[in-house]
Amino acid sequence: MGTAAAEKSSPEGDIITIDHLKKSFGGHEVLKDISLKLAKGENLVIMGKSGTGKSVLIKCIVRLIEPDAGEIKILGKDVLKLNADELNDVRKKIGFLFQSAALYDSMTVRENLEFPLREVRKKNEEIEQMVEEALKNVGLLDVIDKMPSELSGGMRKRIGLARTLILRPEVILYDEPNTGLDPITTREISKLIVELKDKYQTSSIIITHDSECARITANRIMIINEGLCVAEGTYEELEKSEDEFVSSFFTKQD
Amino acid sequence: MKKDATVLEENGEEAKKQASKFSIAYLSERLDDFFGQVDTFTRFTLRFFKEAFMPPYEVNEFLKQCYLVGNKSLPLVGLTALIMGLVFTMQSRPTLTKFGAQSWLPAMVAIAMIREISPVITALICAGKVGSGIGAELASMRVTEQIDAMEVSGNRPFKYLVVTRVMAITLMVPLLAIFSDSISLLGSFIGVNLQGDTTAKLFLSHIFEKLDFIDVFPAIIKTFFFGFAIGIISCYKGYNSNSGTEGVGRAANTSVVQASLTIFIIDMLAVQVANFFT
Ligand SMILES: Nc1ncnc2c1ncn2[C@@H]1O[C@H](COP(=O)(O)OP(=O)(O)O)[C@@H](O)[C@H]1O
Ligand SMILES: [Mg+2]
C-alpha cells in the first residue's frame, strides 16, 4: 500500500479532491474537465444553469454515476478504485441530500431515519435517541409517525436532511436543498445548513441557484458552465464580477 | 429559397428514416439491443443468486413481502379457483355422461386442475397483481432516487429490495397454488352436487383413487419456477427502469406481459420434462 503514508498525512488538509473529472452521456459531454478541492470545515457552493451537470458532478463523487476519466479522493481514499465493501464504508461517511429528498414512500418518517442505521449495531433505545435528535435538529420532531406523502415539500427536504445527518457524516453533499421552496423556507434551510456545519464541523458541497442561499452558506463559490469551471471565489468577489454570466447569478430578478 | 432547401433536407431525412426501418443497419441495431438486454438480464439474475446466499439476510423484509404477496392475491386466487372448479365440472359432465364415465368426473376435474389449470391461473393472477405492483414500485423508487439514496447511505438496495421480493414470490406462488388446488376441488364438489348427490367422502375417495404422485409433484415444482420468473422479471424491469415517470407505467406493463409469457413457456418445458420421467 504505497498510499498509506499519503492517507495519513491528509486528515487536516482537503476532504475531497477532484482532478480533471470527465463524463459524457452518449455523445453529450456533460463534464468536460472539472477539478475542485474541499477543505475541512468548508462550505463550497456550486452554481450553474439547470442541466449543466451539477447533479452529475456530485453523483460522481459517491459513484452513483461512474465518471469516464479523472480522479476523486475522499478522506484520502481513491474512490474510483475501491471495491464494493470499501466504497460502502466511505459512503457511510458522506451524507447526500437529493434534489427530490428521496424519502422512502412506503415507510414512516421514523422508519426513514432508522433505515441508514440498519447495519449499525446499536441498542434500540440508542437508535430511538439518534432519530429524535436528528429530528430535533431540523425542528420536526412532531411528524415522527407520519408518512412522507403527508408532508409538505419543505418538510420533506428537512426530513431528508435529518436522514442524511443521522450517520453523522463528515461530508455532506446538498443537491439543490432549497429549489422549489418558498423564500422563507429557503432561508430557514440555508440557516440550518450553517448551524449544522457549526454543530458537527462537517464540510459540505452545496448546489444551488439561489444567491441568498449562497450568501448565507458559502465560504467559497464555484460557477460551472458547459462542463467547465468558469469562476471561483468568495461571495463578495463574485458578486462584484464584471463578467455578465457570473454576475447574472447574483442579480435579483423581481 | 433557403427555406425550401431545409424542407427538402428534412424530407430527405424522413425518407432515410423510413428506409432505415428495413435496412440491415436497423436490424443489427435491434439485434444489438436485444442481446444487450439479454446480457443485463443475465447479470441481474446472477447477481440475485450471489446476493441471496450472502449474509446479512433481510428476514423481516422477506416476511413482510410474503405477507403482501399472499394478502394481495389470496382472495382473487380463491375466487377464481372456486369458479374454475365449478365451471369445469359442469362443462365436463355432458361429455363424460355420453361415454358412461360419469363416475370419473371428480378425478378428471381434479387431475386437470392440479396438473395444469390451477398452477397456471395462480401464476397469471400473481403476475398481474404482484408482478405489476413490484415493477411499478421499484421503478418509481428508481425515478424518485430512493434506490440511489439507499445506496449512498451504505445500505444494499439490491439485497433489501430485489432479493427479498424474488424469494417471497418464489415461495408464495407454490403455496397459493396449493390453496388454489383445494379451493378448486371445493368448487368441483359443488358442481358435482348441482346435479346428483355425492358425499364429500365419496367425492374425495374418487379423486384419491385416481390421483398419482406424478400428477401432484411436478405441478408443484413448476410453480416455484413460475414464482421465480414473476419475481425476477418484474424486479428487473422496475430496478433498471430509467426513463422518468412514464417508465413507471412501462415497467408495470412489461412486467406483466413478459412474466405471463414466460409462465407459458415454462409450463410447456415442464410438460416435456415431466413426460420424460414417466
Ligand atoms: N443518467 C443519465 N443518462 C443520460 N444523461 C444524463 C443522465 N444524468 C444526467 N444526464 C444529462 O446530463 C445533463 C446534466 O444533468 P444534471 O446534472 O441533472 O443537471 P443539473 O446541473 O441541473 O443538476 C443533462 O443534460 C442530462 O440530460
Ligand atoms: Mg440537478
Side-chain angles (χ1 to χ4, degrees):
Chain A
M1 286 296 287
T3 54
E7 272 173 31
K8 272 205 182 119
S9 67
S10 64
E12 283 312 306
D14 294 321
I15 300 287
I16 298 181
T17 26
I18 296 179
D19 274 316
H20 304 294
L21 196 71
K22 293 186 179 61
K23 176 71 193 173
S24 354
F25 291 105
H28 176 47
E29 263 190 312
V30 177
L31 303 178
K32 286 180 188 145
D33 184 1
I34 300 274
S35 301
L36 65 82
K37 279 184 172 24
L38 179 71
K40 193 171 169 62
E42 184 183 35
N43 274 350
L44 171 65
V45 164
I46 296 181
M47 297 176 94
K49 284 193 297 191
S50 268
T52 39
K54 306 181 297 296
S55 300
V56 171
L57 172 62
I58 61 168
K59 281 181 183 168
C60 284
I61 295 178
V62 287
R63 269 179 76 183
L64 282 175
I65 293 178
E66 293 289 332
D68 300 334
E71 198 183 59
I72 301 173
K73 279 200 171 155
I74 302 179
L75 302 164
K77 296 227 164 60
D78 192 339
V79 180
L80 299 179
K81 298 209 178 89
L82 299 179
N83 67 28
D85 286 332
E86 293 166 333
L87 180 64
N88 255 353
D89 289 338
V90 172
R91 279 171 168 177
K92 284 185 184 143
K93 295 181 188 151
I94 306 175
F96 196 115
L97 181 65
F98 286 85
Q99 201 165 337
S100 56
L103 298 184
Y104 308 132
D105 292 332
S106 58
M107 305 181 197
T108 64
V109 168
R110 183 197 300 275
E111 288 161 343
N112 261 281
L113 293 190
E114 282 169 356
F115 193 84
L117 298 171
R118 281 160 9 100
E119 287 192 13
V120 183
R121 309 233 168 277
K122 285 228 163 88
K123 286 196 226 81
N124 282 344
E125 306 94 71
E126 257 181 286
I127 287 184
E128 177 87 355
Q129 236 174 21
M130 289 168 85
V131 168
E132 284 181 5
E133 191 192 331
L135 282 175
K136 269 186 210 143
N137 275 332
V138 298
L140 280 177
L141 192 53
D142 49 325
V143 301
I144 187 162
D145 287 316
K146 293 215 159 125
M147 298 301 283
S149 54
E150 299 172 74
L151 306 176
S152 71
M155 285 162 130
R156 293 169 64 93
K157 278 268 165 73
R158 282 194 280 171
I159 297 296
L161 185 52
R163 190 181 66 188
T164 311
L165 289 171
I166 205 154
L167 285 173
R168 288 290 160 72
E170 294 173 43
V171 191
I172 306 181
L173 310 175
Y174 296 92
D175 194 351
E176 307 197 9
N178 39 28
T179 301
L181 302 177
D182 60 276
I184 298 170
T185 317
T186 298
R187 195 168 313 145
E188 275 172 16
I189 288 190
S190 307
K191 286 188 180 143
L192 196 55
I193 292 172
V194 178
E195 268 169 42
L196 292 172
K197 180 192 124 171
D198 293 341
K199 193 163 172 187
Y200 298 117
Q201 275 83 49
T202 49
S203 325
S204 315
I205 295 180
I206 302 153
I207 292 176
T208 186
H209 302 293
D210 183 55
S211 63
E212 195 185 355
C213 174
R215 183 176 58 76
I216 296 173
T217 57
N219 301 118
R220 191 157 55 93
I221 298 176
M222 221 174 114
I223 294 180
I224 291 182
N225 192 32
E226 293 181 352
L228 294 168
C229 169
V230 293
E232 197 179 338
T234 62
Y235 182 85
E236 290 75 22
E237 285 165 12
L238 293 186
E239 189 191 27
K240 284 187 285 229
S241 168
E242 300 286 306
D243 188 294
E244 203 174 309
F245 181 77
V246 172
S247 62
S248 70
F249 284 96
F250 301 95
T251 43
K252 291 260 177 296
Q253 56 276 77
D254 303 282
Chain B
M1 255 322 269
K2 202 172 173 200
K3 212 173 174 188
D4 282 353
T6 47
V7 167
L8 260 181
E9 214 168 83
E10 263 168 27
N11 282 343
E13 284 291 306
E14 198 65 16
K16 247 187 243 164
K17 248 185 225 159
Q18 284 288 323
S20 70
K21 272 203 172 163
F22 304 98
S23 73
I24 293 191
Y26 177 76
L27 218 91
S28 89
E29 200 178 289
R30 292 309 303 264
L31 274 179
D32 267 8
D33 198 44
F34 174 75
F35 285 114
Q37 285 276 331
V38 171
D39 181 52
T40 47
F41 181 71
T42 311
R43 277 166 206 275
F44 189 83
T45 311
L46 291 178
R47 185 169 174 200
F48 166 80
F49 285 110
K50 208 174 106 197
E51 300 217 2
F53 293 107
M54 228 166 37
Y57 305 109
E58 302 280 357
V59 180
N60 287 340
E61 181 65 13
F62 167 72
L63 293 177
K64 185 177 153 200
Q65 290 303 324
C66 287
Y67 169 77
L68 287 178
V69 173
N71 193 28
K72 265 190 191 164
S73 19
L74 199 66
L76 202 54
V77 167
L79 186 64
T80 314
L82 188 75
I83 294 174
M84 292 303 286
L86 179 69
V87 170
F88 199 65
T89 307
M90 290 162 71
Q91 297 272 34
S92 313
R93 184 195 295 274
T95 318
L96 286 182
T97 311
K98 210 186 311 176
F99 292 107
Q102 208 175 344
S103 65
W104 266 86
L105 188 57
M108 200 206 82
V109 173
I111 288 173
M113 280 293 159
I114 291 171
R115 285 191 89 144
E116 182 60 32
I117 297 175
S118 190
V120 171
I121 295 274
T122 306
L124 289 177
I125 289 176
C126 286
K129 279 225 84 141
V130 183
S132 65
I134 288 180
E137 184 191 12
L138 294 190
S140 83
M141 289 184 79
R142 172 63 77 194
V143 171
T144 55
E145 301 179 314
Q146 294 175 48
I147 293 179
D148 288 343
M150 287 185 180
E151 209 149 298
V152 286
S153 67
N155 289 283
R156 294 175 177 77
F158 191 93
K159 183 167 254 182
Y160 183 78
L161 298 171
V162 174
V163 172
T164 54
R165 280 167 176 73
V166 176
M167 298 225 286
I169 305 199
T170 310
L171 180 73
M172 289 309 283
V173 171
L175 292 182
L176 285 165
I178 291 171
F179 169 74
S180 162
D181 288 343
S182 341
I183 299 289
S184 69
L185 293 189
L186 177 67
S188 171
F189 179 65
I190 297 170
V192 168
N193 272 305
L194 284 181
Q195 297 169 32
D197 216 3
T198 316
T199 62
K201 200 171 161 212
L202 190 62
F203 176 80
L204 286 178
S205 74
H206 267 308
I207 291 176
F208 287 111
E209 228 166 68
K210 311 267 171 21
L211 201 64
D212 254 337
F213 176 74
I214 198 67
D215 294 319
V216 182
F217 186 67
I220 291 182
I221 295 296
K222 76 179 172 190
T223 54
F224 282 97
F225 288 92
F226 290 166
F228 179 74
I230 297 170
I232 200 86
I233 289 172
S234 51
C235 283
Y236 171 74
K237 290 288 166 193
Y239 199 79
N240 291 323
S241 164
N242 228 338
S243 42
T245 355
E246 79 197 272
V248 177
R250 186 146 17 117
N253 194 322
T254 50
S255 296
V256 179
V257 173
Q258 297 193 5
S260 306
L261 194 63
T262 312
I263 286 166
F264 286 116
I265 293 172
I266 293 174
D267 196 41
M268 200 169 65
L269 296 176
V271 165
Q272 305 294 335
V273 174
N275 285 347
F276 182 78
F277 285 109
T278 45

